[in-house]
Amino acid sequence: MLASAAPMLRETHTSVWFFIGLLLTVYGVLILGASLHDLVVPPEHPVVLADLHAGIWWGVLLTVLGLIYTFVFAPWRRSHQ
């Protein structure tokens, strides 16, 4: 053992689901923002099923799921182990 190497007292791991939650939240906010912009400023040639507002639904769903994953698997919470 090297003299400068200190032994690790405690190992901490961050779950990959925390980072997946962050990505889902970011993507959800981006999709929701773009879809809300399309709602306010409609495109010149809308797609066939534009009245269903699928982007808004998917943006909300991704944001909610991302926030759930982010808070359940947050590194400051250790109850999920």
Side-chain angles (χ1 to χ4, degrees):
M1 188 163 139
L2 298 174
S4 63
M8 283 187 83
L9 299 176
R10 187 178 117 189
E11 289 187 26
T12 58
H13 299 283
T14 302
S15 176
V16 69
W17 294 109
F18 171 72
F19 297 107
I20 291 173
L22 287 177
L23 281 174
L24 287 175
T25 303
V26 169
Y27 287 155
V29 167
L30 289 174
I31 291 171
L32 182 61
S35 299
L36 288 174
H37 178 267
D38 285 344
L39 185 65
V40 174
V41 183
E44 186 177 338
H45 302 288
V47 294
V48 176
L49 297 175
D51 58 335
L52 295 178
H53 307 292
I56 293 175
W57 290 108
W58 277 111
V60 169
L61 179 69
L62 286 176
T63 303
V64 168
L65 286 176
L67 289 174
I68 289 171
Y69 275 112
T70 299
F71 288 117
V72 168
F73 295 104
W76 56 84
R77 292 183 45 157
R78 294 293 171 198
S79 63
H80 61 271
Q81 291 182 350

